[in-house]
Amino acid sequence: MPQEGFKRKLTAILSADVVGYSRLMGEDEAATVQTITAYRETMTRLIQQYRGRVVDSPGDNLLAEFASMVDATQCAVKIQEELTIRNDELPEERRMQFRIGINLGDVIEEGERIYGDGVNIAARIEGLAEGGGICISGSAYEQIENKLALRYEYLGEHAVKNISKPVRVYRVPMESRAAPEVSKQKRAGLRRWKGSVLALVVVIAVGAGALAVWNPDFREYCPRWLTAMMDRIGITPMEKPSIAVLPFDNLSGDPEQEYFSDGITEEIITALSKVPELFVIARHSTFTYKGKPVNVQQVSHELGVRYVLEGSIRKAGDRLRITAQLIDATTGHHLWAERYDRDLKDIFALQDEMTMKIVTALRVKLTEGEQARLYDKSTDNLDSFMKVLEGDPYFFRFNEESNIKARQMFEEALALDPENATACTMLAWTYLMEARSGWSKSPGRSREQAVELAQKALALKDTLDATHSLLGRIYLDKRQYEKAIAEAERAVALNPNGADAHAHLGVILDYVGRREEAIALLKKAIRINPIPPNWYLLSLGQSYFFTGQYGEALAIHKTVLQRDPDDFSALIGLAAAYSVSGREEKAHAAAAEVLSIKPKFSLARFAETIMYKNQADTERMIEVLRKAGLPD
């Protein structure tokens, strides 16, 4: 007869402890307590994120339980990835490594505590793991063998203390998930002068839309550094109905029609983003799945959404066939599916109809004003609309030749409809881009043309968030800070799901000195756009630097450099963060990389390009970079 108050249950148990804890305490007790407190907070946050709970955490130990073995294992991997990044910021002798053991077993539950062989086996398996490693039991392995993209190494059967039968043990190799180190030789091979230009261009150019698609190798890094970074900065789920619109497949058999299918996808995303009651993932993140076999559950997990819209487009002459289906990724059920056979001239009405069907399926009620915003178009001219769609991919290639090609497309769009505000805005971006990138023979005139076109776009239509973001960045460039803030705030108000709108406002507030607000905005932008362009991260790293969060700044700039080893702005940020942290050797190494990319770099010229409102910020940045070894 079981004792009153006790009950048994099957649960996934995670047990962790610190390797060499006694040595760390003996060498520096205060520093060890500070580190383990911070690490335990990180582990607790991740455990809660993966729907687990911390049962106990005495000394250097931590015990947690999960209802799912999948959640427990994924959480363990995230913990080790995050702590690896944090350890990289510590001297080698002060690094704190946890080893983790996981078991699926029967336990006795008494109040908030759990006991029994299930817990004991997890603790014994933990002792078989290496520092920074994970071991799991045979019972755990059977539950996750084919469910996670992990490798497992069988370590055989092990006799463990106080357990009558040997326990099968598997190791989860963490080294296979680490982002590859970039050697100096590889840096030299990858280095391009355009890297430093692109770093400046990206910060300016993305206001009218998101970047296209990252290098195909990018997603291989995602489990190691991007998701760890997002966990680190505290990206949290949204309470609103959340949706990701995947790029519609082009079934036309004509690669030249890709811009059309991509453009229709983007128009749907843009329309849905205007609905305040929805949370909509940005185009930049969803388009990383373009051309790949897609599992909606995986998309749901990686982008943090419940609903996924996918479909296809076939364009033949003046006829369109569009199929679309809205899926609840948590259940796999189709909430809505439809096939449309229409004339091409009906594309605008069809977009509106599809958007409203999606909103209705998600049980979102719109006010009359919100419905009007949903149907608000920049043009009713189909040819002008399609010219903008055709020009967008060229613009987002961020090189001089493509910028010229995009400009031609946008000029043609305006010739077809002089009141197409989107075409006018995009044309303005091409002039601002060439001015900032050094492609213009007369940068001043290019900036003037950007201003003239932005003001014309605003006069044509004052409800496009991209136009207000563009004006915000133009005013920032002119050091007219209050005007920049006002325009960027207007962009956010117009598009509550606008990742770029939030990020641009964050960038401006960072330069103005309102950095806590900037950090909050940039975090929200990354939540909306979970696979963010580098300029989001560079601004976030800068805000962390100026708020004294140097470890966070270092981690962010390293994240950017793992994407692009020659990102000039990230190397500058890395040198500054190392310098102010007193890590002179690494600061000098980062400064050397800056000079290898741009041998004629000088702090005097650099000071002229940075746009801090407060002179003290400029002086501080220049001083720490001088200390890092960069020349005046």
Side-chain angles (χ1 to χ4, degrees):
M1 179 77 64
Q3 294 181 342
E4 186 177 354
F6 286 18
K7 67 177 182 180
R8 288 189 174 274
K9 66 178 181 179
L10 188 67
T11 193
I13 306 123
L14 182 153
S15 178
D17 76 349
V18 178
V19 177
Y21 184 70
S22 297
R23 176 188 64 79
L24 291 169
M25 286 292 285
E27 292 175 354
D28 190 335
E29 189 174 274
T32 301
V33 170
Q34 183 179 17
T35 301
I36 196 170
T37 299
Y39 283 20
R40 189 181 285 122
E41 289 174 355
T42 296
M43 296 168 74
T44 299
R45 171 171 51 80
L46 290 173
I47 288 165
Q48 292 171 346
Q49 181 179 321
Y50 281 87
R51 295 167 288 277
R53 75 175 184 94
V54 175
V55 177
D56 201 3
S57 56
D60 68 320
N61 298 104
L62 183 142
L63 182 68
E65 68 165 340
F66 299 79
S68 161
M69 262 305 307
V70 170
D71 285 344
T73 308
Q74 288 180 319
C75 180
V77 170
K78 293 298 183 189
I79 286 172
Q80 296 295 30
E81 290 177 347
E82 169 72 358
L83 298 189
T84 296
I85 291 176
R86 287 179 174 264
N87 275 328
D88 190 46
E89 307 310 321
L90 297 175
E92 188 170 350
E93 68 276 6
R94 297 306 309 161
R95 292 174 182 174
M96 183 175 290
Q97 291 189 318
F98 280 79
R99 54 191 177 187
I100 296 177
I102 305 176
N103 178 46
L104 178 67
D106 187 78
V107 298
I108 296 172
E109 183 178 38
E110 181 185 17
E112 297 296 316
R113 307 296 296 274
I114 56 175
Y115 307 91
D117 287 350
V119 175
N120 294 337
I121 291 173
R124 302 297 181 234
I125 291 173
E126 164 212 293
L128 298 173
E130 302 169 344
I134 303 167
C135 281
I136 64 175
S137 68
S139 61
Y141 172 78
E142 290 168 359
Q143 294 296 312
I144 63 173
E145 177 183 3
N146 298 315
K147 295 179 181 177
L148 297 174
L150 298 172
R151 292 196 300 110
Y152 308 96
E153 293 180 0
Y154 182 50
L155 302 183
E157 293 187 343
H158 288 257
V160 296
K161 186 177 179 182
N162 297 329
I163 303 298
S164 58
K165 293 183 178 180
V167 176
R168 288 181 296 123
V169 179
Y170 294 80
R171 174 175 173 266
V172 181
M174 292 296 297
E175 57 269 21
S176 64
R177 298 178 60 79
E181 292 294 325
V182 180
S183 66
K184 289 186 179 293
Q185 291 80 5
K186 186 174 181 182
R187 281 186 187 272
L190 293 171
R191 185 168 294 124
R192 299 289 184 272
W193 277 98
K194 65 182 180 181
S196 57
V197 173
L198 181 59
L200 294 173
V201 171
V202 169
V203 172
I204 291 296
V206 190
L211 293 173
V213 182
W214 287 109
N215 185 299
D217 293 337
F218 160 64
R219 292 199 66 78
E220 294 181 9
Y221 299 142
C222 188
R224 169 65 174 88
W225 51 267
L226 178 59
T227 55
M229 179 275 296
M230 291 177 69
D231 290 339
R232 183 186 184 100
I233 67 176
I235 300 298
T236 55
M238 302 293 289
E239 295 180 358
K240 301 176 182 179
S242 52
I243 182 172
V245 181
L246 297 178
F248 278 38
D249 293 329
N250 170 30
L251 302 183
S252 302
D254 179 4
E256 293 298 318
Q257 294 299 326
E258 286 292 327
Y259 74 87
F260 183 76
S261 58
D262 290 353
I264 298 302
T265 307
E266 184 169 355
E267 286 294 304
I268 294 171
I269 293 172
T270 299
L272 291 173
S273 295
K274 297 175 183 178
V275 181
E277 290 77 16
L278 287 179
F279 172 73
V280 185
I281 295 293
R283 175 193 191 274
H284 176 270
S285 292
T286 60
F287 269 63
T288 59
Y289 297 90
K290 183 176 172 64
K292 301 176 182 178
V294 171
N295 178 293
V296 293
Q297 283 78 19
Q298 179 185 358
V299 172
S300 168
H301 176 74
E302 291 179 349
L303 299 183
V305 296
R306 178 172 179 178
Y307 304 103
V308 176
L309 180 73
E310 59 182 6
S312 64
I313 297 178
R314 184 186 299 276
K315 179 176 176 287
D318 292 331
R319 292 292 294 174
L320 279 177
R321 170 171 290 179
I322 298 181
T323 63
Q325 54 188 0
L326 180 65
I327 303 167
D328 184 338
T330 61
T331 64
H333 293 159
H334 288 62
L335 298 182
W336 167 77
E338 192 70 74
R339 188 180 81 176
Y340 301 91
D341 288 290
R342 300 284 179 87
D343 289 333
L344 183 60
K345 63 182 176 62
D346 296 329
I347 185 62
F348 299 117
L350 179 55
Q351 288 175 6
D352 292 341
E353 183 179 339
M354 289 177 62
T355 302
M356 186 55 69
K357 287 283 183 69
I358 295 164
V359 170
T360 302
L362 295 177
R363 299 181 180 179
V364 172
K365 294 184 178 180
L366 301 179
T367 65
E368 289 185 10
E370 288 168 348
Q371 287 188 36
R373 286 177 61 188
L374 203 63
Y375 301 143
D376 194 20
K377 306 292 183 188
S378 291
T379 181
D380 292 324
N381 185 303
L382 179 61
D383 292 332
S384 180
F385 169 77
M386 292 185 67
K387 274 296 177 184
V388 173
L389 295 186
E390 193 174 352
D392 279 347
Y394 290 103
F395 176 77
F396 290 114
R397 289 175 187 172
F398 299 119
N399 62 61
E400 184 176 5
E401 182 180 352
S402 294
N403 197 59
I404 293 171
K405 184 71 172 176
R407 179 176 299 166
Q408 292 172 349
M409 300 289 184
F410 300 143
E411 287 174 342
E412 289 177 25
L414 274 177
L416 291 163
D417 180 4
E419 296 188 355
N420 186 338
T422 297
C424 201
T425 297
M426 294 302 297
L427 185 58
W429 274 111
T430 68
Y431 283 105
L432 189 59
M433 176 180 281
E434 73 172 13
R436 292 302 304 266
S437 304
W439 303 333
S440 174
K441 294 180 180 179
S442 176
R445 177 54 187 155
S446 294
R447 284 187 171 89
E448 289 175 5
Q449 289 173 294
V451 171
E452 291 170 6
L453 285 162
Q455 290 174 341
K456 177 182 176 182
L458 194 64
L460 289 170
K461 193 176 199 61
D462 66 356
T463 57
L464 293 179
D465 62 289
T467 308
H468 291 279
S469 289
L470 168 64
L471 282 165
R473 299 312 297 266
I474 289 173
Y475 285 130
L476 177 64
D477 205 32
K478 293 181 171 184
R479 273 65 167 180
Q480 296 179 21
Y481 299 105
E482 296 308 313
K483 288 184 177 179
I485 292 171
E487 292 294 342
E489 287 179 337
R490 175 63 175 154
V492 170
L494 286 168
N495 191 350
N497 281 291
D500 287 343
H502 284 84
H504 281 298
L505 179 56
V507 169
I508 292 167
L509 292 183
D510 171 70
Y511 279 111
V512 169
R514 291 162 55 181
R515 282 165 180 126
E516 294 296 342
E517 295 172 77
I519 289 171
L521 283 160
L522 289 161
K523 283 185 177 182
K524 183 169 183 180
I526 293 170
R527 178 64 188 92
I528 299 170
N529 194 357
I531 306 174
N534 282 351
W535 64 277
Y536 287 29
L537 304 180
L538 290 168
S539 186
L540 181 60
Q542 183 168 272
S543 291
Y544 278 137
F545 172 85
F546 279 106
T547 53
Q549 300 178 69
Y550 304 125
E552 308 299 330
L554 284 167
I556 294 294
H557 287 114
K558 287 181 179 180
T559 294
V560 174
L561 289 168
Q562 284 178 310
R563 287 178 164 186
D564 179 2
D566 295 313
D567 191 296
F568 179 76
S569 297
L571 286 168
I572 287 284
L574 197 67
Y578 275 136
S579 178
V580 79
S581 301
R583 301 173 68 177
E584 295 182 3
E585 184 176 344
K586 291 197 172 187
H588 281 82
E593 290 291 336
V594 170
L595 294 174
S596 68
I597 293 174
K598 201 169 185 179
K600 295 183 180 180
F601 175 88
S602 76
L603 290 173
R605 286 194 293 270
F606 179 68
E608 295 173 0
T609 66
I610 51 182
M611 299 173 287
Y612 305 129
K613 180 180 181 180
N614 301 318
Q615 181 62 26
D617 288 342
T618 301
E619 292 172 357
R620 184 183 181 202
M621 177 61 74
I622 296 302
E623 179 57 34
V624 297
L625 290 175
R626 182 180 293 117
K627 183 181 174 184
L630 288 170
D632 289 323

